[in-house]
């Protein structure tokens, strides 16, 4: 029985890890369910109303006083000139509404996906634990594996409780969606993942159709492109920090694990528990070294930071009107900036593809 303690300890550690994973998943599901956005019904600040009010106020403020008698063709031309900006603004607000709808559908789809994954994992773990518990106790005996039973029973109860809680949350969301049929947010959170994917595709198609009908001038699209560059820089730097953090963690495991494994193996008379520790440390060091060499986190972080620095340099040169953006023509400067940024993005994608290639084919790709 004493020789079985390391195995039971390993089973206990594994069960504790699964328990922490299930509890963390349940916490994420409950937190996301509580933080879902509320649907504001009957909002008086509709985009069309506010835009119409602004347009009317601009008309009253900027139109010069006209004589009571205006020729019919002149009145028609004036009405068309006033309706064109109003139509454009309405379409812009429609595009903004489409983006909000798409973002809300994506949040609902993410929450539904987390709920589905947690439900299946917790339910499968509960069934496997129950089956293993019955088979082990019948074959070996309760007193022989008492320590394993003390670990397996709480994990089984927590897994079953998590599965039941997620199912209850999903059923409650469906009932709220049926009861409050006027709330679009309630409808989204009451649908399945498959229905949400269909809703997302339909919303994206509607956004593309409205964007095609809008037909903004090229200069306006270039200004929008320039205004979106800061968010692109934040995304690049965030990804770079993520890869750099993974590389640093893996290197720390390699360095500390190598020292610890050497120290444990250097003992002349190594006890049995320390042998298992030495085996686990060696396995962790090998896994960290293998993942670092395969995924190349340090190189990915370096290239992302380099691309972000280059984009920031071009933006600073554009804002300061220095070379190569010292042209007096604003559309030419915008076109040149968009061209340079797109070239940097293409180079970054090529670097990522090169890092994904195996070592033997990297020279041919270059």
């Amino acid at each position: 029985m004493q020789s079985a303690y390391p195995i039971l300890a390993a089973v206990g550690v594994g069960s504790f890890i699964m328990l922490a994973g299930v509890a963390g998943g349940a916490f994420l599901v409950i937190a996301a369910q509580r933080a879902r956005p509320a649907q504001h019904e009957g909002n008086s600040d509709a985009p069309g109303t506010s835009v119409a009010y602004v347009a009317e106020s601009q008309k009253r403020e900027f139109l010069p006083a006209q004589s009571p008698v205006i020729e019919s063709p002149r009145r028609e031309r004036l009405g068309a000139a006033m309706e064109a900006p109003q139509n454009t603004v309405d379409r812009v607000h429609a595009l903004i509404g489409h983006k909000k709808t798409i973002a809300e559908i994506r949040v609902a789809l993410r929450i539904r996906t987390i709920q589905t994954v947690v439900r299946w994992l917790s339910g499968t773990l509960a069934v496997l634990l129950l089956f293993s518990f019955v088979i082990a106790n019948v074959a070996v005996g309760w007193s022989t594996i008492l320590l394993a039973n003390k670990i397996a029973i709480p994990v089984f109860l927590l897994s079953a409780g998590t599965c039941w809680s997620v199912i209850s949350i999903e059923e409650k969301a469906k009932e709220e969606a049926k009861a409050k049929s006027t709330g679009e947010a309630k409808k989204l959170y009451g649908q399945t993942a498959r229905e949400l994917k269909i809703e997302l595709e339909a919303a994206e198609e509607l956004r593309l159709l409205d964007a095609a009908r809008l037909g903004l001038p090229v200069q306006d699209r270039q200004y929008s492109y320039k205004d979106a560059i800061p968010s692109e820089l934040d995304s690049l730097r965030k990804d770079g920090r993520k890869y750099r953090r993974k590389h640093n963690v893996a290197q720390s495991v390699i360095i500390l694990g190598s020292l610890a494994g050497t120290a444990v193996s250097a003992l002349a008379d190594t006890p049995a528990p320390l042998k298992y520790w030495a085996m686990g440390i060696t396995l962790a060091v090998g896994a960290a070294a293998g993942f670092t060499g395969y995924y190349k986190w340090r190189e990915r972080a370096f290239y992302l930071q380099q691309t972000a620095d280059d984009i920031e340099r071009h933006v600073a040169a554009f804002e300061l009107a220095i070379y190569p953006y010292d042209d007096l023509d604003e559309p030419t400067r915008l076109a040149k900036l968009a061209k340079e940024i797109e070239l940097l993005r293409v180079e970054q994608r090529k670097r990522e593809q090169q890092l994904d290639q195996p070592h033997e084919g990297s020279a041919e790709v270059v």
Side-chain angles (χ1 to χ4, degrees):
M1 184 62 187
Q2 186 176 1
S3 61
Y5 279 153
I7 299 176
L8 293 176
V11 173
V13 172
S15 301
F16 179 75
I17 293 174
M18 288 188 293
L19 178 65
V22 172
F27 175 76
L28 286 176
V29 170
I30 295 173
Q33 194 73 18
R34 290 180 178 178
R36 63 186 184 182
Q39 179 73 15
H40 299 285
E41 300 177 1
N43 190 3
S44 60
D45 297 333
T49 306
S50 60
V51 171
Y53 178 77
V54 172
E56 292 296 330
S57 62
Q58 290 177 352
K59 289 180 185 179
R60 292 193 299 267
E61 182 177 357
F62 293 106
L63 282 180
Q66 300 290 338
S67 58
V69 180
I70 302 179
E71 298 83 6
S72 178
R74 184 180 175 185
R75 185 182 295 109
E76 292 178 358
R77 289 196 300 269
L78 183 60
M82 281 305 191
E83 288 177 359
Q86 175 67 26
N87 193 15
T88 303
V89 172
D90 289 340
R91 291 183 180 180
V92 169
H93 279 289
L95 288 179
I96 294 174
H98 285 307
K99 289 186 177 181
K100 290 181 179 179
T101 303
I102 290 173
E104 194 168 295
I105 293 175
R106 285 176 178 171
V107 171
L109 179 59
R110 191 180 302 115
I111 292 175
R112 179 62 68 191
T113 303
I114 293 174
Q115 289 176 343
T116 304
V117 171
V118 172
R119 173 164 49 83
W120 278 101
L121 286 179
S122 59
T124 304
L125 182 60
V127 172
L128 290 178
L129 284 175
L130 181 61
F131 180 76
S132 303
F133 175 79
V134 173
I135 295 297
N137 282 276
V138 171
V140 180
W142 173 271
S143 60
T144 307
I145 54 173
L146 183 60
L147 179 61
N149 289 330
K150 290 181 178 179
I151 298 174
I153 291 175
V155 175
F156 166 74
L157 293 177
L158 181 59
S159 301
T162 303
C163 183
W164 179 80
S165 300
V166 173
I167 293 176
S168 300
I169 291 173
E170 291 178 350
E171 293 297 329
K172 183 179 179 181
K174 291 180 181 179
E175 291 177 0
E176 289 180 356
K178 292 179 180 179
K180 300 180 179 180
S181 58
T182 56
E184 294 296 331
K186 299 294 184 182
K187 286 183 180 179
L188 292 178
Y189 289 98
Q191 294 178 359
T192 62
R194 180 175 176 273
E195 294 173 347
L196 288 173
K197 289 180 181 178
I198 296 174
E199 290 284 342
L200 181 60
E201 293 179 359
E204 289 178 347
E205 287 293 332
L206 288 175
R207 184 184 66 84
L208 291 176
L209 289 175
D210 280 350
R213 287 171 47 199
L214 182 60
L216 289 174
V218 177
Q219 189 173 359
D220 293 343
R221 293 199 296 269
Q222 289 175 348
Y223 270 112
S224 300
Y225 183 87
K226 183 182 75 68
D227 292 337
I229 291 177
S231 61
E232 180 73 16
L233 287 174
D234 293 339
S235 178
L236 290 173
R237 290 198 174 96
K238 183 179 179 180
D239 292 340
R241 287 193 298 268
K242 179 184 67 176
Y243 288 128
R244 195 177 300 109
R245 191 182 306 114
K246 290 181 179 179
H247 176 76
N248 292 335
V249 170
Q251 289 300 313
S252 301
V253 171
I254 292 172
I255 295 172
L256 298 177
S258 300
L259 296 175
T262 305
V264 171
S265 301
L267 296 175
D269 189 11
T270 307
L274 290 180
K275 288 182 180 179
Y276 291 105
W277 279 101
M279 183 180 64
I281 292 172
T282 305
L283 179 62
V285 170
F291 284 130
T292 303
Y294 182 78
Y295 290 108
K296 303 179 180 66
W297 291 318
R298 182 175 64 86
E299 290 81 1
R300 294 179 188 274
F302 171 76
Y303 287 137
L304 285 169
Q305 185 64 39
Q306 187 181 36
T307 304
D309 293 339
D310 291 339
I311 292 176
E312 189 176 15
R313 177 171 56 84
H314 281 282
V315 172
F318 178 86
E319 296 293 340
L320 298 175
I322 59 178
Y323 182 82
Y325 304 103
D326 51 355
D327 199 327
L328 297 179
D329 189 17
E330 186 73 10
T332 304
R333 296 171 64 235
L334 287 170
K336 188 180 294 184
L337 176 65
K339 178 183 176 181
E340 295 295 334
I341 300 300
E342 285 301 316
L343 288 176
L344 290 174
R345 287 180 173 175
V346 170
E347 290 179 2
Q348 175 61 28
R349 285 193 290 267
K350 288 181 179 179
R351 290 168 182 169
E352 292 178 354
Q353 292 174 0
Q354 181 180 352
L355 290 174
D356 291 335
Q357 296 296 325
H359 182 70
E360 293 79 5
S362 60
E364 298 179 1
V365 174
V366 174

